[in-house]
Amino acid sequence: MFQFAHDDRTAGLYTITVSQFALVFMLSAVAVAVPALGREFGASASQLGLVESGYISAVAMLLFPVTRLSDKIGRGATFAAGMALFTVMSVILPVCHTINQFIVLRVFQGGGGAMMVSTGLAIIADLYPGAGRARAMGIAGAGVYLGLSAGPWLGGLIVTHFGWRWIFYGGAIPCAVGFLLTLKTLPVRPALARGVRFDFGGALFIALGMILLSQGGSHLDGTAGVVMLACGVFFLLCFVFWEGRAKAPLLSLALFSGNPAFSLGSAAQFISYAAIYGITFLLSLYLQVAQGMTASEAGFILMVQPVMQVILSVISGKWCERWSPHLVATAGMGVATVGLGAAIFLGAAPSLLFTAVILALCGAGSAMFATANMAVIMGAVNRENYGVASAVVAAMRTTGMTVSLVFISGVFAVIIGPVALTPDNAGVFITAMKLAFIALTVFSALGVLMSAKGRLETRREAAGGGKGPDAGN
C-alpha cells in the first residue's frame, strides 16, 4: 500500500487520469475507424467485431493474473510496464498489412491495457481510503470519458483526412506522455514480495475461456464457432470451480460470500457493460454504412455519448455523497435502458436528432451507474482487499465489454454472414442491428433489477447490524 502526502496523492490521481484518457482515446477512435479498416482489408462484419473484442478479451483474460503480478512486483511497476507495452503496440499496429495481423497485435495491446486497468483503481483506492474516494473515482472517470469524447471526433477527422493509421501514430503521443508522468509520480521500481504464489491453473482456464469466447462469436455462422463458444463457456465455468478450491486463487470467491453489496454490485457492473458497450460500435457502422456519412461526420455525432459521460461522471460523484450510491446507480442504469430501447426504432431513414438523443441517454445513464457502482463495490471491502476488488471491477467491466462485442459479432455472423460490409447490404445490417438492440435492452433491464436488489439487500443487512466496512459511502 502506498503512503502519500496530500500533494503526492493529487499528482498520482491526475497521472492515472491522464493515462486512462490515453487508453480510451485509442479505443474510441478505433471504433470510428472500423469501417475504413474493413474497406482496406476487405474484412467481414464479424472480423471487424474481432478488432474490438480481441483487444477487450485479452484485457479480460489477463486481469487476474496481472493483479497477482502486481502483488509480486508492485502496482506502480505493473502500471508503468502496461503503459509502455500499450505505447509500443500503438506504434507497431499501423504497419499491419492484413486484418489478421491487426487482430493479433491488438491482443498484445490488450495485454498492456490489462496491466493498466487492473491496477489503476487500486492505486486510487490506496490514495483515497475514506472521504473523497467517490469524487476521486469521478475525476478518474472524467479522464476516461474525455478520451471517449475526443476519440470519435478527432478519430473521424484523422481517418477522413489522413487515414486510419494516423490514429495510432497520434494516439501514441498521449500514451507516451502518460508513461513519462507515471515514471515521475508513482513508485515504479519493482519491489519483489516473498511468498506470493501464482495460480497457473486459473490463469490457463480464464485464458482459454476468453480466447474461445471471442473467436466463437465471430464464427457463429458455422459449427466450429458454436463449438468454440460452448468450450469458452465451459472453461470459464472451470475457472470459477478451480478458484473455489485453489490454495492461492487469482480470485478469492470469499469476497462474494455474505457480501451482497459487493456480489450484486459486481453482477450489475457486468450487465451494464455487456448491454451498453456495443452501442458505439453499432452506431458507428450504422452512420457510415447505412447513412453514408464520412468518418468525421459520424465521429461528431458519436461524441454526444462521451460528452454526457464526462459531465455526469463528475456530477454523479457528488450525488453519491448526498444520496445512496445504490440509488444513483439504479437510476443511471434505468436511463441507459431507455436509451437502448429507443435505439430499436432506428431505421434506414436518417434521423440524426433521434440518434443523438439515444447516445445522450446511454452516456448519461452509464456515467451515473459507473461512478456510483464503483463507490458501492470499493466501499464493501476492507483495505487489504482493494487490489482484488479493483481487479473484480475491471474484470466485470471488460468481460461485459467482451460479451457485448461477441454477441454483436455472433448476430452479424448469423444474419449478415462472412461477407464484406458495404452500403449494398445496409438493409441486412439494420435488421441485425435491431435484433441486437432488442436483446441488449432486455439485458439492461435485468441490470436495473440487479442494482435495485443490491440496495434492498444492503439495507436489510444494515438493519440487522451487518454493515460492510464502508457502508456509509
Side-chain angles (χ1 to χ4, degrees):
M1 184 183 69
F2 304 139
Q3 296 291 337
F4 281 89
H6 177 74
D7 291 342
D8 291 333
R9 74 175 189 172
T10 301
L13 169 62
Y14 283 101
T15 296
I16 293 171
T17 302
V18 169
S19 65
Q20 297 302 298
F21 165 85
L23 174 66
V24 298
F25 170 81
M26 190 75 73
L27 288 175
S28 57
V30 170
V32 179
V34 161
L37 280 164
R39 288 192 297 270
E40 178 167 334
F41 294 134
S44 67
S46 56
Q47 284 178 317
L48 294 180
L50 273 176
V51 168
E52 295 287 73
S53 65
Y55 169 85
I56 295 297
S57 62
V59 175
M61 76 181 186
L62 290 173
L63 276 175
F64 291 117
V66 165
T67 298
R68 183 52 55 90
L69 173 66
S70 70
D71 291 338
K72 183 72 173 178
I73 67 173
R75 291 172 187 163
T78 304
F79 188 86
M83 179 62 82
L85 177 59
F86 193 90
T87 303
V88 170
M89 288 297 106
S90 299
V91 175
I92 296 177
L93 273 163
V95 303
C96 292
H97 297 290
T98 68
I99 190 65
N100 290 330
Q101 290 177 358
F102 190 91
I103 290 170
V104 169
L105 288 178
R106 282 282 280 174
V107 171
F108 280 97
Q109 192 178 42
M115 300 173 81
M116 295 161 62
V117 300
S118 65
T119 52
L121 285 180
I123 293 173
I124 291 177
D126 278 331
L127 296 173
Y128 296 86
R133 182 196 297 150
R135 187 169 297 183
M137 295 286 189
I139 291 172
V144 171
Y145 296 133
L146 280 171
L148 289 172
S149 300
W153 177 56
L154 289 179
L157 288 174
I158 292 170
V159 172
T160 301
H161 298 290
F162 303 102
W164 64 265
R165 286 178 171 83
W166 282 97
I167 284 182
F168 293 93
Y169 291 134
I173 295 174
C175 290
V177 171
F179 175 67
L180 293 176
L181 288 173
T182 300
L183 295 179
K184 183 178 180 180
T185 61
L186 295 179
V188 297
R189 179 175 296 178
L192 296 179
R194 297 182 179 275
V196 177
R197 302 174 63 184
F198 192 80
D199 179 12
F200 289 99
L204 177 63
F205 282 133
I206 194 170
L208 289 173
M210 296 310 301
I211 291 171
L212 290 170
L213 194 68
S214 62
Q215 288 291 323
S218 64
H219 297 87
L220 202 57
D221 55 325
T223 303
V226 175
V227 172
M228 284 190 288
L229 196 64
C231 290
V233 173
F234 171 75
F235 281 119
L236 290 178
L237 292 175
C238 288
F239 170 74
V240 175
F241 180 83
W242 178 276
E243 293 303 286
R245 291 155 180 78
K247 294 181 178 179
L250 298 176
L251 171 62
S252 175
L253 298 182
L255 282 175
F256 296 88
S257 179
N259 192 343
F262 184 82
S263 56
L264 292 173
S266 299
Q269 180 93 348
F270 166 78
I271 292 172
S272 172
Y273 282 91
I276 298 170
Y277 181 72
I279 190 170
T280 301
F281 177 73
L282 285 170
L283 292 187
S284 175
L285 291 172
Y286 169 72
L287 292 172
Q288 295 182 67
V289 175
Q291 300 301 326
M293 289 186 175
T294 65
S296 59
E297 292 169 339
F300 184 77
I301 299 298
L302 292 171
M303 194 171 61
V304 171
Q305 180 182 359
V307 165
M308 292 299 296
Q309 289 172 320
V310 171
I311 296 170
L312 268 297
S313 63
V314 176
I315 295 175
S316 58
K318 296 179 180 178
W319 287 347
C320 290
E321 296 175 354
R322 180 178 300 180
W323 298 297
S324 166
H326 281 100
L327 182 61
V328 177
T330 303
M333 195 71 184
V335 171
T337 303
V338 172
L340 287 171
I344 297 170
F345 301 98
L346 287 170
S351 179
L352 298 185
L353 178 60
F354 186 46
T355 303
V357 170
I358 291 168
L359 289 164
L361 288 172
C362 288
S366 61
M368 290 170 60
F369 171 83
T371 300
N373 199 57
M374 278 196 293
V376 169
I377 292 174
M378 299 305 287
V381 298
N382 295 315
R383 183 180 300 233
E384 59 267 22
N385 290 318
Y386 280 170
V388 176
S390 174
V392 170
V393 171
M396 294 300 103
R397 179 173 65 245
T398 52
T399 305
M401 291 176 178
T402 303
V403 168
S404 182
L405 293 171
V406 166
F407 169 73
I408 292 170
S409 295
V411 172
F412 283 175
V414 173
I415 303 298
I416 302 175
V419 297
L421 194 59
T422 67
D424 294 334
N425 53 16
V428 180
F429 165 76
I430 290 175
T431 299
M433 181 184 72
K434 285 177 175 287
L435 290 174
F437 275 128
I438 290 172
L440 295 176
T441 301
V442 172
F443 201 50
S444 185
L446 176 62
V448 176
L449 297 177
M450 189 72 68
S451 183
K453 183 179 180 182
R455 182 173 185 237
L456 292 175
E457 291 291 337
T458 302
R459 291 178 65 181
R460 185 179 297 116
E461 186 182 68
K467 276 192 164 188
D470 295 324
N473 282 343

